[in-house]
Amino acid sequence: MEFPQQQKPADGKIIYPPGVKEITDKITNDEVVKRLKMVVKTFMDMDQDSEDEKQQYLPLALHLASEFFLRNPNKDVRLLVACCLADIFRIYAPEAPYTSHDKLKDIFLFITRQLKGLEDTKSPQFNRYFYLLENIAWVKSYNICFELEDCNEIFIQLFKTLFSVINNSHNQKVHMHMLDLMSSIIMEGDGVTQELLDSILINLIPAHKNLNKQAFDLSKVLLKRTVQTIETCIANFFNQVLVLGKSSVSDLSEHVFDLIQELFAIDPPLLLSVMPQLEFKLKSNDGEERLAVVRLLAKLFGAKDSELATQNRPLWQCFLGRFNDIHVPVRLECVKFASHCLMNHPDLAKDLTEFLKVRSHDPEEAIRHDVIVTIITAGKKDLCLVNDQLLGFVRERTLDKRWRVRKEAMMGLAQLHKKYCLHHEAGKDAAQKVSWIKDKLLHIYYQNSIDDKLLVEKIFAQYMVPHNLETEEKMKCLYYLYACLDPNAVKALNEMWKCQNMLRSQVRELLDLHKQPTSEANSAAMFGKLMTIAKNLPDPGKAQDFMKKFNQVLGEDEKLRVQLELLISPTCSCKQADVCVREITRKLANPKQPTNPFLEMVKFLLERIAPVHIDSEAISALVKLLNKSIEGTAEDEEEGVMPDAAIRSGLELLKVLSFTHPTSFHSAETYESLLQCLKMEDEKVAEAAIQIFRNTGHKIETELPQIRSTLIPILHQKAKRGTPHQAKQAVHCIHAIFHNKEVQLAQIFEPLSRSLNADVPEQLITPLVSLGHISMLAPDQFASPMKSIVANFIVKDLLMNDRSVGNKNGKLWCPDEEVSPEVLAKVHAIKLLVRWLLGMRNNQSKSANSTLRLLSAMLVSEGDLTEQKKISKSDMSRLRLAAGGAIMKLSQEPCYHEIITPEQFQLSALVINDECYQVRQIFAQKVHVALVKLQLPLEYMSIFSLCAKDPVKERRAHARQCLLKNISVRREYIKQNPMAHEKLLSLLPEYVVPYMIHLLAHDPDFTKPQDFEQLRDIKECLWFMLEVLMTKNENNSHAFLKKMVDNIKQTKDAQAPDDPKTNEKLYIVCDIALFVIVNKSTTYHLESPKDPVLPTKFFTAPDKDFINDKEYLSLEARTVLLTGKPKPASVLGTVNKPLSVTGKRPYNRTAGSETGSNVSGNSEPSSPSGNKGREQGTDASETGASENEENPVILLSVTPAKTEPVKNKEVNSEQSAAGNASAERGKKRAAPADGSENMHQSPEENQPDEVGAPVPPKPRRGRPPKSQTPGSTEKSSEAKTGGRGRKRAAPTPESPGELLEAANIKVPKQQKDTEAKKAPAQRQMDLQR
C-alpha cells in the first residue's frame, strides 16, 4: 500500500536512533515492528531536557505522523506508533512538533482508536496499551486539542472509547488514569458540550448501567470529581428538556428522570439547580408527566441518606400536595412512597400523617389498601416508625366497605400483635402501644359478613393463640389473653366458640342423618342441614353447591365419614383433629387440579369445626394455671394481670368452655380445683365454678362420688345464703347433675319458705331467687306450696306494703348498689311470680290473671303500688321496669299470652316510652332479645314503633337496629324452614302492621283526632316501622301492606267495638298509614300476593254490610303530614293561649322571637286535666332525654370520640313549643348544671307564690313530658324534649325543610341545621349517653 509521503524537514534527512534502519513501506511488517520497537525504546528513554536529541529526532517525529503509520493495517505497528507519538507529546511538551490542526486531529483520533486495545487485559500487548494510556493521562496530552475547532469530536470519541473498554478485569490504575484523562479535559476546558455530556450520562441509564457496571462506576466517580465544572452543564441540559420542552437537544431526553435519580444518588449538588425545575413539573397538566415526576421524587425523598426534604422544603411541600392529585396513579404512587419514607426518614412521619389520613378514606379501593400496606410494612420493621394516628387509620379500615381492604387491615394488625405482644420483640412499651389490637380484631366478629367472622377465627388461631404451640404454652397464651380482653372482645370470643360449636352440632346431625335409611323426609332434612352449614361458609351461593357435593362424597365414602365423626366427637384431641383434617383433605385432593375451589371450601369448614385449641389436655393445663394464680405462684403480674383478675377471668374462660367442650372437664383433678374456687370469697369466682359444675358434671354422681359428697353441702349453702346469682346457679346445678334432685331441692325449699321475713329485706333476696327457680324447675313438686307463699307473703306482705321511706333526691335512676333492699326484694318477688307461673305453664288456678292484674296496677301506679308516696322516684323506675319485663316474660308462654288483654299489652308497651332513660333502654333490649329468639309473639315488635317518640337519638337508632335485625331473622327463618309457611301470621314481619296500628290508635297521647301535632307524631311512629318494612318490596309486600290496612278499615276495634271515638281513631291511624305507604311506594297498586289475616284479639270480623270508604284525614291534615307546614294560627293566639289536652301538659306556641327561648326561669304552665293511666310529668327537669345524674349504661355501643360533635348526637326535642323555629335558630341554650338532667325541681322552685301558677300534678306514666315552658330549660336538659319523642322543626312556608319533608317524610334539613346550633346545651347531656 502506498501513502503520500510526509513532508520532510528542510534538510530532508530523517535521523533514526542508533541501530535502527530506515522504516519505509518497502520492508515487511515484521521488520517494521522490529525497528519501531527500538524507536519506542529510544523515545521512552528520552526526557524533556534532552534538547539535542529533541532537535535530532524532530524529523523522525514528523515522519511517524505520516499516513503510512497512521493508517497502517497492522495493529502492532499502529500500537507502537501510538506509543511513540505519546512519548513525542511528552518530550516536546508543552509545544507539540505538529503545527497542522488537521494533523493534530488525525493523530489524536488515531491514539484514541488504539486505546480500544485496553479491553483485553490478557493480550500480550496489554502492557503497551496501558503504557499508552498512562503516558497521555500523565502528560494531559489531549489538552492540546482545546486549540482545535472541532476538538469536541476528539473528546467524544475518547470518552466513548474509554467507557466502552472499561471492564471488571481492569485494575485500579487503569481506572485512575482514565479518570485523570477525562477529568482534565472537563475541568480545563471552556465547558462541556451536550454531546460530550451525553457520552458520560448515557452510562447512568438503567439499560446501560446493567450492561456495563464498570462504565457506570467510572461515570459516577468522574461526575463526583468534576461536580463544580459539570453542574452548570447538567442544569442547562435539564432546563432545556424539563422547562423549555426541547427534547431534541439530546438523545437522552426521554431518560431525564432516570438520570436525575442516578445523579442524585451520585452527588446531590450535581442537581442543585435542577430541583426547582421538578417543582414546576409537579404542577404539569399532564397526569402521566406528573406521575413520572412523582415516581422520581419518591425515590429521591425516600432514599436512605437523602436530606432533600429538609434541604428543599418547598419541593417537599409541593410533592406532598400530590397525595391529593386528581390522577389515581399519582395518589397511588405517593402512598407507596410513604412506606420507604417512614422506614428511612422517621422524622418525616409527622408530615406524612395528615396526607395518609385523607388517603385512607380515598374513594379508590387500591389506594386505601396501599395505605394499610404502607403503615403495616413500616410498623413490622420498627413500631417506633408509626405513630398512634397511623395505626388508627389501619384500625378504621378494618370496617372498610371493601373486603380486600378490611382483610389487609385485619391481617396487618394481627401480624403486629403477634410480633410485639405475643413474641415481645420490642419490649413492654411496644406491646402496650398495640395492646388495643387484640380487642379490635375480636370486635370485628360482631360484623354481619361471614368473611369477617372467618378471618377473625383464622387470626385467633394463627396470630393470637397460635394453634401450633405446645399445649401448655398455648393455654398460657389463651389464659392471659382472656384476662386482658375488654368486655366486648370477651363476648365476641365467646360468640366465636359458640358459633363453632353450633356448626359442629350441625355437621354431627348431618352425619346422623347419613346413618338413617334413605327417605324423602331424610333427604329434606339433609338439605336443610346443608343449607345451614353453607350459610356459615364464605360465598354461601357457591358453598351450597360445594356442600351438596361434599354430602354426596360423604354418602359414598364410609372412611371419610368415620374421619369426620372422629373430628367432631367431644373426645377428639387437638392432635387427632390435625391428623383428621389432613386425612380428609388428602382424600378430597385432586393432583390434576392445582386450584380446587371445592377443596378450599371444605377446608374452610374443617377449620371451623376442628378443635384446634381445646381438648382434655388443654383444660387440665388451664386448671393448673388457675391453681397457680390461686396459690400466688403464677406469673400473673409479669403478664400485666393482677392475680384476682386472673382468677376471675380464668374461671370465666373455663365457664365458657364448659358450654362448648363439657366432656373435656371430666377429671377428678379439674373438679378438685373447682371445689377450691367454690370456697373462695370472690362472688364471681364461686358463681362461675358452680356454673361449670352445672354444665359438665353429669357423670359426677356415678363416677366421682367423693366430688359429689363434697359438692352437695356447698351447693345447699350457696342456695340458702349465697349471692342471688350463686343461688340461681346452685339450684340449676342440683337439678342438672343429681338423680335425687327432688330430695335435694326439698331440703332447700322447706327451710327457706319457713324463714321468709319481710321486715328484713336484706336477707330476702337470695331465698326469693332460690324459691323462684326451684318452683320453675320442679313445678309438680312445689307449685302448690308456692301458691300459699305467693298469696300470703309475696303479694300481701311484701308487694302491698311499703315499710321504709325512699330517698327523695328526685333522681329517676340510681346505681344498683344504691337501690334500697326492700325494692330489690320486691323486684325479685315479681321475678319469683313469673318463674312460678312459667313452671306451672297452665292457668287452671287463675293465678296468672291475678298476677297480670297486679303487674298492670303497678304500671298504672308508676311503680308505687300502695300509692303512699313513700317510695323514691328511682325505686319506682325499678319496679316499673320489673313489671313491664314480667308481662313481657309471661307473654313468651302461649297459655299466658292468650289471657293478656290488649289493655295490659298496651300498658307494658308504654314502658318503652318511660320517662326514665334506663327503663326505656333495658326494656327495649329485653324485648329485642326475646324477639330475635322468636320467643315473643309478633305483636311485641310493634312496640318499637313507639321509639320514634324517644327524645334521645341513640335510643331511636338502637330501636331501628333492633327492627332491622328482627325482620331479617324472621325472613331468614321463613326461607330456611318450609314448615314456617303454616305459621306466617306469627312470623311474617309485615303482620306487625295491624298490631302497630291498634297500639297507636290507643296511644294515650292521641287524644285529639284532628290535632296536627298528634297526627304528625302518629305518622312518625308509623314511618319508623314502615320504613324498615318497605326497604325491599319482596313478593309485592307494599301491595300486601296497603291491602292489610284497607281491610282494617272495614273492621272495628275489638277493644271497644261500639265506641265511635275509638273506632274513629283507629281509622285515622289507618288513613295515615295508607298516606305513608302511597307516598313512599310506587308498587302499592299491584295485586297483593295473598289475602291478609287480621288478629281477632284486636279487630272484629269484617261486617259485609259495612263499607268504610270515608277519608278521615282532611286536606289540610294531609298537607301538614306531607310538608310539615304547621297549622295556621295568629301570633297573639299562639303566644298567649295555652292549649289543654287530656293526658298531656299544655304547650305554648311562641312567636319567632329569639329572646323567648331560654331567658326566663319563672314561668310555669297551668295545670292540665290528668289522664289517670298515664298522667303528664310536671317538673321541668323530669323528661326522657337524660334522666339521671349517673352515666347510663348504653346498650348501643357508642364510643366517646363520636359523642362530641352534636350533629352526631342530637337530642331530638322541641323548644318552648313545637312551632318555635326562631328559638332553635336563636340563642344557644345554657348548659344544665352537672347532674341536673334527671333531677326534680326543688319544692321552692314549684312554689305557687314564686311562679304564679298552681303546683302541677304528679308525673304521668309512659312518656317524657310533651312540652316545657321556655324558662324550664335552665333547670334541665330534658326541657328540650318535644312532643313525646322526636323533635320536629317547624319550617316556615319558605323553609327548605318543606320540600325535603314532602319528598322523604323524614327530618327536614332545617331541623338538622338548627339542632347543630344548639350544641352547647346538648353537649353535656350527650356526653352521658
Side-chain angles (χ1 to χ4, degrees), residues 240-361:
Q240 294 280 324
V241 178
L242 293 175
V243 179
L244 303 178
K246 295 181 179 178
S247 57
S248 58
V249 297
S250 166
D251 293 335
L252 301 181
S253 298
E254 60 188 56
H255 300 290
V256 283
F257 295 135
D258 290 329
L259 289 172
I260 291 173
Q261 182 187 346
E262 293 298 343
L263 289 169
F264 184 81
I266 291 167
D267 197 359
L270 283 166
L271 298 172
L272 210 56
S273 306
V274 178
M275 288 306 169
Q277 299 168 7
L278 291 178
E279 187 175 339
F280 167 78
K281 276 293 182 187
L282 273 176
K283 298 171 182 175
S284 166
N285 290 328
D286 183 354
E288 290 303 319
E289 194 169 42
R290 292 198 307 278
L291 177 60
V293 182
V294 164
R295 279 183 179 147
L296 166 66
L297 287 175
K299 293 168 184 171
L300 303 190
F301 285 123
K304 181 88 175 156
D305 300 315
S306 169
E307 294 181 2
L308 182 59
T310 50
Q311 291 172 350
N312 197 331
R313 293 300 291 178
L315 182 62
W316 171 241
Q317 291 300 329
C318 188
F319 174 76
L320 289 176
R322 292 307 97 208
F323 273 84
N324 299 329
D325 197 285
I326 194 171
H327 198 42
V328 172
V330 174
R331 301 202 301 275
L332 199 56
E333 198 62 40
C334 289
V335 168
K336 287 177 179 174
F337 145 78
S339 178
H340 302 289
C341 192
L342 286 171
M343 289 189 278
N344 295 336
H345 303 282
D347 52 307
L348 297 177
K350 187 176 179 182
D351 290 344
L352 288 171
T353 300
E354 282 307 310
F355 290 95
L356 285 174
K357 178 181 181 179
V358 178
R359 294 286 61 80
S360 71
H361 297 96

Side-chain angles (χ1 to χ4, degrees), residues 78-211:
R78 294 197 304 272
L79 172 60
L80 290 168
V81 171
C83 291
C84 288
L85 291 171
D87 274 321
I88 289 168
F89 283 119
R90 175 178 60 80
I91 295 163
Y92 290 93
E95 298 297 330
Y98 314 104
T99 55
S100 166
H101 283 195
D102 290 339
K103 180 53 67 178
L104 278 172
K105 179 180 176 183
D106 289 344
I107 290 170
F108 278 106
L109 287 174
F110 170 74
I111 293 172
T112 300
R113 287 195 294 273
Q114 306 321 305
L115 289 173
K116 288 184 178 178
L118 286 165
E119 191 168 14
D120 186 4
T121 55
K122 295 181 181 177
S123 165
Q125 301 297 331
F126 178 75
N127 286 338
R128 285 198 186 277
Y129 287 116
F130 176 74
Y131 174 75
L132 174 63
L133 172 66
E134 183 182 42
N135 209 340
I136 59 176
W138 185 66
V139 181
K140 300 182 180 178
S141 305
Y142 275 83
N143 288 14
I144 296 170
C145 299
F146 289 139
E147 299 173 7
L148 307 180
E149 288 182 6
D150 46 0
C151 64
N152 202 47
E153 183 184 341
I154 301 168
F155 296 150
I156 292 168
Q157 195 60 44
L158 173 66
F159 277 47
K160 285 182 176 178
T161 300
L162 293 179
F163 284 127
S164 66
V165 299
I166 188 76
N167 58 62
N168 57 9
S169 60
H170 288 141
N171 60 26
Q172 191 62 37
K173 287 184 179 180
V174 176
H175 282 260
M176 185 181 69
H177 291 317
M178 287 183 176
L179 282 169
D180 290 344
L181 181 58
M182 291 189 287
S183 60
S184 69
I185 292 171
I186 292 171
M187 295 170 74
E188 295 180 26
D190 293 333
V192 179
T193 64
Q194 186 60 50
E195 292 81 1
L196 186 59
L197 183 62
D198 285 355
S199 68
I200 303 170
L201 296 181
I202 195 169
N203 299 297
L204 307 181
I205 294 169
H208 288 74
K209 175 181 174 181
N210 297 333
L211 283 173

Side-chain angles (χ1 to χ4, degrees), residues 170 178 244 317 344 648 755 830 942 1082 1087:
H170 288 141
M178 287 183 176
L244 303 178
Q317 291 300 329
N344 295 336
R648 190 177 303 141
S755 63
I830 292 170
S942 67
T1082 56
E1087 190 65 30

Side-chain angles (χ1 to χ4, degrees), residues 1014-1254:
Q1014 296 184 23
L1015 293 179
R1016 284 205 299 195
D1017 280 344
I1018 296 292
K1019 187 203 77 173
E1020 287 296 330
C1021 293
L1022 286 166
W1023 178 236
F1024 194 77
M1025 178 75 72
L1026 289 172
E1027 181 187 19
V1028 184
L1029 283 174
M1030 294 171 67
T1031 305
K1032 294 180 182 177
N1033 185 24
E1034 294 182 4
N1035 301 322
N1036 282 347
S1037 62
H1038 293 185
F1040 179 72
L1041 289 172
K1042 182 177 182 298
K1043 187 168 186 180
M1044 186 154 39
V1045 180
D1046 282 333
N1047 287 2
I1048 293 173
K1049 279 191 73 173
Q1050 306 309 315
T1051 68
K1052 292 184 178 178
D1053 190 332
Q1055 195 169 331
D1058 300 324
D1059 183 354
K1061 277 216 162 193
T1062 301
N1063 286 312
E1064 183 192 2
K1065 288 203 290 183
L1066 178 67
Y1067 301 146
I1068 287 173
V1069 176
C1070 286
D1071 272 3
I1072 298 173
L1074 288 170
F1075 174 80
V1076 170
I1077 293 169
V1078 169
N1079 273 282
K1080 283 301 183 179
S1081 171
T1082 56
T1083 58
Y1084 65 88
H1085 57 278
L1086 299 177
E1087 190 65 30
S1088 172
K1090 54 177 73 70
D1091 200 35
V1093 181
L1094 300 178
T1096 55
K1097 190 173 181 179
F1098 294 91
F1099 305 100
T1100 62
D1103 187 348
K1104 292 179 181 179
D1105 301 328
F1106 175 67
I1107 298 175
N1108 186 6
D1109 53 5
K1110 177 182 174 183
E1111 288 194 2
Y1112 290 83
L1113 285 179
S1114 66
L1115 184 61
E1116 188 182 8
R1118 289 174 182 275
T1119 305
V1120 169
L1121 292 180
L1122 186 65
T1123 64
K1125 185 176 178 180
K1127 178 180 176 181
S1130 67
V1131 174
L1132 285 176
T1134 53
V1135 172
N1136 299 325
K1137 296 181 182 177
L1139 304 174
S1140 284
V1141 176
T1142 307
K1144 260 195 240 194
R1145 297 276 311 266
Y1147 60 89
N1148 296 331
R1149 284 188 187 273
T1150 60
S1153 163
E1154 288 191 348
T1155 59
S1157 59
N1158 42 3
V1159 178
S1160 170
N1162 293 324
S1163 60
E1164 188 73 36
S1166 57
S1167 174
S1169 55
N1171 180 325
K1172 181 66 177 173
R1174 294 169 66 215
E1175 294 172 356
Q1176 175 67 24
T1178 58
D1179 296 323
S1181 61
E1182 184 183 314
T1183 67
S1186 175
E1187 283 81 19
N1188 35 276
E1189 197 171 75
E1190 295 76 19
N1191 293 343
V1193 181
I1194 304 293
L1195 295 171
L1196 184 71
S1197 176
V1198 179
T1199 58
K1202 292 182 181 178
T1203 61
E1204 293 181 9
V1206 176
K1207 65 178 180 180
N1208 291 336
K1209 288 278 180 182
E1210 79 177 87
V1211 177
N1212 272 347
S1213 59
E1214 290 186 4
Q1215 297 261 31
S1216 304
N1220 190 357
S1222 64
E1224 293 176 357
R1225 293 191 297 269
K1227 292 187 178 181
K1228 296 179 180 178
R1229 289 184 178 277
D1234 193 22
S1236 67
E1237 287 87 348
N1238 247 2
M1239 298 280 290
H1240 283 277
Q1241 290 178 337
S1242 59
E1244 292 81 2
E1245 291 171 326
N1246 285 330
Q1247 290 288 332
D1249 57 342
E1250 284 188 32
V1251 185

Side-chain angles (χ1 to χ4, degrees), residues 513-742:
L513 289 171
H514 273 285
K515 296 174 186 176
Q516 296 174 10
T518 307
S519 67
E520 193 174 329
N522 189 17
S523 299
M526 205 174 277
F527 178 77
K529 291 292 169 205
L530 291 172
M531 294 303 99
T532 306
I533 293 169
K535 274 169 49 186
N536 291 281
L537 297 172
D539 196 349
K542 288 182 182 176
Q544 288 179 7
D545 297 332
F546 288 137
M547 283 301 102
K548 288 176 189 174
K549 183 178 176 182
F550 182 55
N551 189 50
Q552 187 179 348
V553 175
L554 280 177
E556 296 165 357
D557 192 335
E558 188 178 347
K559 288 184 179 177
L560 196 66
R561 286 204 306 274
V562 170
Q563 289 287 351
L564 194 58
E565 280 185 8
L566 178 58
L567 180 66
I568 58 173
S569 72
T571 55
C572 180
S573 69
C574 296
K575 290 176 183 175
Q576 281 178 318
D578 195 36
V579 173
C580 289
V581 169
R582 279 205 305 270
E583 190 63 28
I584 294 170
T585 307
R586 187 184 62 78
K587 281 180 176 290
L588 296 174
N590 184 352
K592 296 177 183 177
Q593 199 174 358
T595 56
N596 189 343
F598 166 62
L599 181 59
E600 289 303 311
M601 194 66 74
V602 174
K603 278 183 180 176
F604 271 120
L605 175 63
L606 297 178
E607 284 173 7
R608 293 205 77 185
I609 63 175
V612 293
H613 286 113
I614 307 300
D615 56 11
S616 298
E617 189 182 346
I619 295 297
S620 297
L622 278 175
V623 170
K624 285 175 185 172
L625 283 167
L626 182 65
N627 288 338
K628 285 183 181 178
S629 292
I630 293 170
E631 294 161 6
T633 59
E635 303 169 357
D636 296 338
E637 293 189 17
E638 289 179 25
E639 296 288 341
V641 183
M642 296 304 293
D644 289 347
I647 296 168
R648 190 177 303 141
S649 65
L651 255 296
E652 284 298 318
L653 172 59
L654 287 169
K655 181 179 86 174
V656 172
L657 295 175
S658 71
F659 285 101
T660 55
H661 300 79
T663 312
S664 303
F665 282 78
H666 194 69
S667 74
E669 183 185 13
T670 299
Y671 288 136
E672 286 288 351
S673 299
L674 291 172
L675 285 172
Q676 293 301 315
C677 295
L678 279 176
K679 297 171 184 174
M680 291 180 67
E681 293 181 5
D682 192 314
E683 297 173 357
K684 293 282 185 185
V685 168
E687 180 192 336
I690 298 171
Q691 199 158 351
I692 295 170
F693 273 111
R694 171 187 170 183
N695 295 337
T696 66
H698 302 290
K699 296 183 180 177
I700 285 179
E701 193 158 35
T702 54
E703 298 180 13
L704 298 169
Q706 188 177 355
I707 300 292
R708 175 188 183 277
S709 58
T710 312
L711 180 61
I712 288 178
I714 295 175
L715 293 178
H716 279 238
Q717 187 267 335
K718 296 292 183 188
K720 293 174 184 173
R721 289 181 292 280
T723 66
H725 288 293
Q726 290 174 356
K728 170 187 173 180
Q729 295 301 336
V731 170
H732 280 271
C733 185
I734 291 169
H735 185 264
I737 68 176
F738 297 125
H739 296 313
N740 63 338
K741 52 194 166 195
E742 292 84 3

Side-chain angles (χ1 to χ4, degrees), residues 1248-1268:
D1249 57 342
E1250 284 188 32
V1251 185
V1255 179
K1258 69 175 184 176
R1260 65 157 169 89
R1261 273 291 340 102
R1263 302 268 168 76
K1266 171 68 182 174
S1267 75
Q1268 307 291 343

